[in-house]
Amino acid sequence: MRFRVTLGMWPFERFKSRQHMREFTKSEAHLIRAEHTIPLGSQTFSKSRTQYPVGISPLYIEKAKGCEVWDVDSNKYIDLVSSLASVTLGYGDLRVNRAVRKQLKKGVTFSLPGILEAEVAEMICHLVPSAEMVRFGKNGTDATTAAVRLARAYTGKDRIVVCGYHGWQDWYIGSTTRNKGVPSVTAELTEVFKYNDLESLKKILSERKDVACVVMEPMNVNLPNQGFLEGVRELTKAHGVILIFDETITGFRFSEGGAQELFNVIPDLSTFGKGIANGFPLSAVTGRRDIMMEMEEIFFSGTFGGELLSLAAAKSVLELHTNHEIVPRLRRIGNDLQERVNLAISQTHTKQLLSLSGDPTWMFLNWNGTEDYPPEFLRTYFMQEMFQQGVLLLGTHNVTLAHSQKHLNKIEEIYLATLESISKGIAQNNLKSKIRVTPLKPLFKVR
Ligand SMILES: Cc1ncc(COP(=O)(O)O)c(C=O)c1O
């Protein structure tokens, strides 16, 4: 079916006259330089040219403050990526910076652990319902990998069942289509089940008797169906399988105690990263004392696991979560943005093309194609127009406390202009002449 929009009045004409075209010349020159010494020109897939089409995108950022970032061409953006959801308070939060500077004067890493390790562990145990003991890592991948090793050690079983995204390690990435370099013997030990499909988990657990753990994001694109998370909890318990909630994103974003607190379903182990230290590199694995004590028998150890600047940042973030309304404010900002974008969608008659889903603090943009324009085409054109007008975003709204009403007004304005342009372009069937790059290719799907 061909998608039709009603042409008529276009009330947002005033947003369309641009002062000047943003250019990305320095970004593009730097990409050429970086690619001589850095494959992909980036350490992070989601920050690379695979996600930001060269020609319409900023590629490198110079500085950030609050929710605003400046690319190397000095273009300014309101950032809705928020460093892949690792920033919750806003970039350069003064309270966190003060704590980090104070620690810097004393030192970054020592030859023995610092006392901050236990202080932050205690704060996590206070906030997170399932947390009885804690160990730290640097990336989310460290924490999920440690949790899986703990589960294997505790149960004496090898198989893993996953749902969602869990990092770059063999045991997980081997289950995706981007599995080059992963030994097949490792990949064969991982099964995938579908979110909100309890039957798919039931089938795996009834057929496989060697499952050590179920690792899952408690929520991502969609809300859990009534009884789904509770069902996962019951099933894993009945089969003697360790339940691990990967709260790398949902932790300290969905609620102070993570999605487990929000949905009141308590896993055996859980992992945190991203927002725990407002952009400083820290992750944590936590959970039941009897399982965590296996840490003394397995090997999970790193030179920088107790690095003190990130722990100082985490202490400051967790103090804020304990003493102030951080998540309720994040949620209000996310709700406000969601309402504004939904209004823009309805005013521009683009409901058939774009919908929002997920939690207001981490909202997903879902694109539907038309006969002439596949979803990836529309997503790329949308990014082109949003970047050009000063909003940096990928496929989600990752709100921070720094997104003020002023920023939301601006984002709403830019959404309206962009969606209007899409709607009009489809009605006039001339979007192909307006897009300036080859549309993104669909990526390996993890959610
Ligand atoms: C749910 C989830 N788990 C694990 C990871 C891996 O974290 P990291 O990239 O810090 O290793 C991510 C990263 O995006 C994530 O979103």
Side-chain angles (χ1 to χ4, degrees), residues 138-142 144 165-168 217 246 248-249 274 447:
K138 291 279 108 197
N139 290 290
T141 302
D142 301 349
T144 54
Y165 177 69
H166 307 298
W168 66 268
E217 286 181 88
D246 177 351
T248 306
I249 291 187
K274 309 247 184 189
R447 291 182 172 116

Side-chain angles (χ1 to χ4, degrees), residues 7-37:
L7 263 177
M9 294 291 285
W10 297 100
F12 318 115
E13 294 292 325
R14 68 184 185 278
F15 300 128
K16 287 194 314 205
S17 58
R18 284 187 190 129
Q19 302 301 315
H20 65 279
M21 285 287 283
R22 283 169 186 242
E23 291 184 353
F24 310 107
T25 9
K26 288 189 184 158
S27 263
E28 286 160 16
H30 189 76
L31 177 65
I32 292 168
R33 173 186 170 182
E35 283 189 315
H36 276 295
T37 49

Side-chain angles (χ1 to χ4, degrees), residues 69-83:
V69 299
W70 287 258
D71 70 14
V72 292
D73 288 279
S74 303
N75 300 307
K76 180 176 161 183
Y77 306 83
I78 301 170
D79 184 3
L80 280 171
V81 185
S82 307
S83 188

Side-chain angles (χ1 to χ4, degrees), residues 112-329:
L112 293 170
I115 59 165
L116 271 173
E117 289 186 25
E119 287 180 355
V120 177
E122 284 160 12
M123 295 173 94
I124 292 174
C125 290
H126 176 70
L127 287 168
V128 176
S130 68
E132 293 178 351
M133 299 188 93
V134 183
R135 282 288 304 270
F136 296 106
K138 291 279 108 197
N139 290 290
T141 302
D142 301 349
T144 54
T145 299
V148 164
R149 185 166 299 164
L150 275 178
R152 282 174 160 163
Y154 187 85
T155 59
K157 295 175 182 167
D158 288 342
R159 195 167 298 277
I160 300 159
V161 185
V162 301
C163 178
Y165 177 69
H166 307 298
W168 66 268
Q169 62 292 74
D170 283 2
W171 61 261
Y172 169 68
I173 216 70
S175 71
T176 71
T177 52
R178 205 171 178 89
N179 56 3
K180 200 170 176 188
V182 177
S184 53
V185 283
T186 304
E188 280 159 14
L189 285 175
T190 303
E191 313 274 341
V192 182
F193 82 103
K194 279 206 212 107
Y195 194 79
N196 271 337
D197 181 352
L198 207 51
E199 285 306 312
S200 68
L201 178 61
K202 226 179 239 175
K203 187 166 184 296
I204 295 169
L205 294 185
S206 61
E207 284 171 5
R208 304 284 196 180
K209 297 300 161 208
D210 56 349
V211 177
C213 58
V214 167
V215 192
M216 65 181 295
E217 286 181 88
M219 181 181 157
N220 47 49
V221 184
N222 293 305
L223 280 161
N225 288 342
Q226 184 95 30
F228 169 67
L229 290 176
E230 292 80 356
V232 172
R233 179 63 282 189
E234 273 168 33
L235 263 181
T236 46
K237 208 172 252 177
H239 284 83
V241 167
I242 305 289
L243 176 59
I244 303 169
F245 275 180
D246 177 351
E247 299 236 37
T248 306
I249 291 187
T250 55
F252 309 106
R253 183 170 275 278
F254 276 32
S255 95
E256 282 75 14
Q260 58 194 268
E261 182 180 57
L262 185 67
F263 299 120
N264 194 24
V265 175
I266 310 303
D268 301 303
L269 295 175
S270 30
T271 64
F272 295 86
K274 309 247 184 189
I276 197 172
N278 201 45
F280 281 83
L282 190 75
S283 62
V285 53
T286 178
R288 266 170 45 191
R289 182 174 297 275
D290 59 331
I291 307 175
M292 287 297 292
M293 281 306 285
E294 281 288 343
M295 278 289 184
E296 299 201 359
E297 306 303 324
I298 66 164
F299 196 72
F300 173 57
S301 171
T303 305
F304 297 119
E307 175 266 308
L308 293 158
L309 299 187
S310 302
L311 284 165
K315 183 179 171 187
S316 162
V317 170
L318 298 179
E319 271 168 3
L320 289 166
H321 276 289
T322 307
N323 300 321
H324 297 272
E325 270 210 333
I326 303 296
V327 174
R329 279 172 63 202

